[in-house]
Amino acid sequence: ATPQQPLPQHFERSQSIFKMALSSSTTAAARALGRVAASSRTAAASLVAASSLASPSSSSSSALPAAGRRLSQGPGLFVQRQQARGCCGSSRPPCTALSEDEAMMRDTARKWAQEFLKPHVAAMDQAGEMTEEVVQSLFENGFMGIEAPEEYGGVGANFVSACLTVEEVAYVDPAVAALVDIQNTLLITLFNRYGTKEQKEKYLTRLATDTACSFALSEPGSGSDAFALKTAARRDGDDWIIDGSKCWISNSKEAGVFIVFANVDFSKKHRGITAFIVERENPGLTIGKKEDKLGIRASSTCELNFDNCRVPASALLGKEGEGYKMAIGLLNEGRIGIAAQMVGLARGSFDYAMDYMVTRKQFGTTIADFQGMQFQYARAAMEIEAARVLVYNAARLKEAGEPFVVEAAMAKLKASEVAQMVSSQAIDWLGGVGFTKEFMAEKYYRDSKIGTIYEGTSNIQLQTIAKILRSKYE
């Protein structure tokens, strides 16, 4: 470097700002990185100009000052269009950097899952049900009210903390992680955003401390086409009467409260869909058969039947006719939680197989040392990390109030595919023992399949991504 090129000082300053970004809040870090980007353009212009002065006889010297001028004038039309589309020029902090509170929440969930949950996993999977002891412990440790305000008995943490908790629980048992995910990313969020003061006081307190809740949207004739639902609600004086049925309702065996979506005016099509709070003991509500599933077997999935189910006017959640908007927004966020669940599953499956491969010997050496195996698990680790970054990035965007629908769909799609790929390979890596129920590899594999199905199939994610991307090129 020369006096005309003060690059060492610039890079030293950049390094210190990046260190600050790693430990600061999202907003402060973004501002810091923005200053780095601006100073980088200035330094680049100085470098080009200095180079032209140092080499006056160079054949390209006449072009260099012009290049320097172009850099100092800012990005051209192409770059501006790319930035407008979100393709480049973004000044974001590392999405995987955690705050002290987030790291504490992750570590707490990790310790609980490894020490308390792990001994229960095999028995719960075999029985196809979650023990009351596990559910109670989830509440006692604050995992069921992560984003619920402290005034209602919740932890008062952020969305990223909820995703980290889901990931760490899924590392040990994806079935229990499903309960944690739905409670936090769907139901707690629903009451936080749409509940009245009275509803928050009554239900957030329960959801954070002792009551599981279920999200009742799907029906036999409305899966991916969720808003073709047939469950109806009609007024009767000051009350509402709900008739119809729901299926594939997660956590319905454990739930004490249900959020039920019903149409109050079919002439308005999906604009008649409205959300209602229904208590488990409410007359007219019956819990139907529990599905005998391939995977996440400890997570209950049941039918719900409503026969003249009467609820008071205070059971209306949000505004009449806005249930479809509520559901769309919540499912977009919920997909990030499912993606976190799949990342945790992939990590758990990978580590389980690696622990075996570094001890299992064939031909005088561990199978983890064979080059053919190394190539496979190196690629698997890369895919897990790619999925993890997508999940954390989507969570950060959602938390910052920025558009995140595409990123959420990408995260859910990628993470679910990676979970299936890695858990399948893990069985191959274990060989014959991986095919037996004595080892947990086959459970991870069974549990992974749901990831490409619930909260939006893979084709729905692709459709969502393509639709929004296409609109940017009009």
Side-chain angles (χ1 to χ4, degrees), residues 147 159 180-192 215 259 327 329-335 455:
E147 288 189 270
F159 182 73
V180 175
D181 173 49
I182 293 169
Q183 180 90 348
N184 285 284
T185 67
L186 292 182
L187 284 317
I188 296 289
T189 301
L190 188 62
F191 280 101
N192 271 335
F215 189 82
I259 303 303
L330 288 166
L331 290 173
N332 284 331
E333 297 174 21
R335 286 167 182 166
E455 292 206 30

Side-chain angles (χ1 to χ4, degrees), residues 27-347:
T27 304
R31 285 198 293 265
L33 292 174
R35 292 195 296 273
V36 172
S39 59
S40 296
R41 288 194 292 270
T42 303
S46 300
L47 176 58
V48 171
S51 298
S52 66
L53 292 173
S55 307
S57 61
S58 170
S59 61
S60 60
S61 61
S62 61
L64 289 174
R69 286 195 298 274
R70 286 196 295 273
L71 283 167
S72 65
Q73 291 168 358
L77 177 61
F78 174 75
V79 175
Q80 290 174 1
R81 291 180 66 184
Q82 294 291 89
Q83 289 175 338
R85 291 173 181 154
C87 300
C88 65
S90 177
S91 299
R92 297 178 184 170
C95 61
T96 55
L98 305 181
S99 70
E100 184 178 349
D101 288 344
E102 290 165 352
M104 186 179 300
M105 195 73 199
R106 177 203 61 191
D107 294 344
T108 300
R110 180 178 295 173
K111 179 179 174 63
W112 177 85
Q114 291 286 343
E115 296 181 3
F116 177 84
L117 177 60
K118 193 171 183 177
H120 297 272
V121 174
M124 291 194 304
D125 179 69
Q126 186 174 5
E129 62 181 9
M130 202 173 302
T131 66
E132 290 185 11
E133 183 182 4
V134 167
V135 176
Q136 182 180 351
S137 184
L138 286 170
F139 283 108
E140 290 173 351
N141 284 274
F143 301 143
M144 297 293 274
I146 296 171
E147 288 189 270
E150 292 182 65
E151 62 185 295
Y152 300 124
V155 177
N158 61 7
F159 182 73
V160 171
S161 295
C163 291
L164 292 168
T165 301
V166 170
E167 179 184 345
E168 292 302 327
V169 174
Y171 180 94
V172 174
D173 191 356
V176 177
L179 172 61
V180 175
D181 173 49
I182 293 169
Q183 180 90 348
N184 285 284
T185 67
L186 292 182
L187 284 317
I188 296 289
T189 301
L190 188 62
F191 280 101
N192 271 335
R193 188 171 300 166
Y194 299 105
T196 63
K197 185 176 184 298
E198 294 74 17
Q199 288 171 336
K200 289 179 181 179
E201 290 176 348
K202 180 177 181 179
Y203 291 105
L204 277 178
T205 303
R206 292 172 60 189
L207 266 59
T209 57
D210 60 15
T211 304
C213 189
S214 278
F215 189 82
L217 177 64
S218 297
E219 297 183 4
S222 58
S224 293
D225 185 11
F227 301 124
L229 58 85
K230 300 300 182 185
T231 298
R234 68 182 190 277
R235 287 186 182 277
D236 185 41
D238 291 334
D239 297 338
W240 290 91
I241 296 179
I242 304 173
D243 287 288
S245 63
K246 299 289 181 178
C247 66
W248 309 115
I249 307 306
S250 298
N251 307 335
S252 45
K253 182 178 180 294
E254 295 80 18
V257 177
F258 298 85
I259 303 303
V260 180
F261 291 84
N263 202 316
V264 301
D265 187 348
F266 284 96
S267 68
K268 295 181 180 179
K269 298 183 179 179
H270 64 280
R271 297 186 185 278
I273 297 174
T274 304
F276 296 92
I277 306 168
V278 181
E279 299 275 359
R280 186 183 187 91
E281 297 79 15
N282 209 99
L285 166 62
T286 57
I287 313 298
K289 77 176 182 95
K290 179 178 177 295
E291 302 294 343
D292 186 10
K293 304 190 303 293
L294 169 73
I296 58 168
R297 290 176 50 78
S299 171
S300 63
T301 306
C302 305
E303 294 179 348
L304 303 180
N305 297 299
F306 302 89
D307 184 11
N308 286 316
C309 181
R310 182 181 294 271
V311 296
S314 60
L316 181 69
L317 183 59
K319 295 181 180 179
E320 184 178 330
E322 292 194 355
Y324 80 100
K325 289 183 180 180
M326 296 160 61
I328 288 174
L330 288 166
L331 290 173
N332 284 331
E333 297 174 21
R335 286 167 182 166
I336 304 174
I338 296 299
Q341 177 197 26
M342 291 296 110
V343 168
L345 187 158
R347 286 179 46 227

Side-chain angles (χ1 to χ4, degrees), residues 346 350 354 357 370-388 414 417-419 421-423 425-426 429:
F350 181 87
M354 287 298 299
M357 289 194 292
F370 289 111
Q371 188 181 63
M373 299 297 293
Q374 290 175 334
F375 288 171
Q376 291 181 47
Y377 62 73
R379 184 171 295 278
M382 176 187 69
E383 293 291 342
I384 293 172
E385 182 63 12
R388 190 173 75 98
K414 180 67 173 179
E417 291 180 347
V418 168
M421 179 199 75
V422 174
S423 60
Q425 282 189 306
W429 296 340

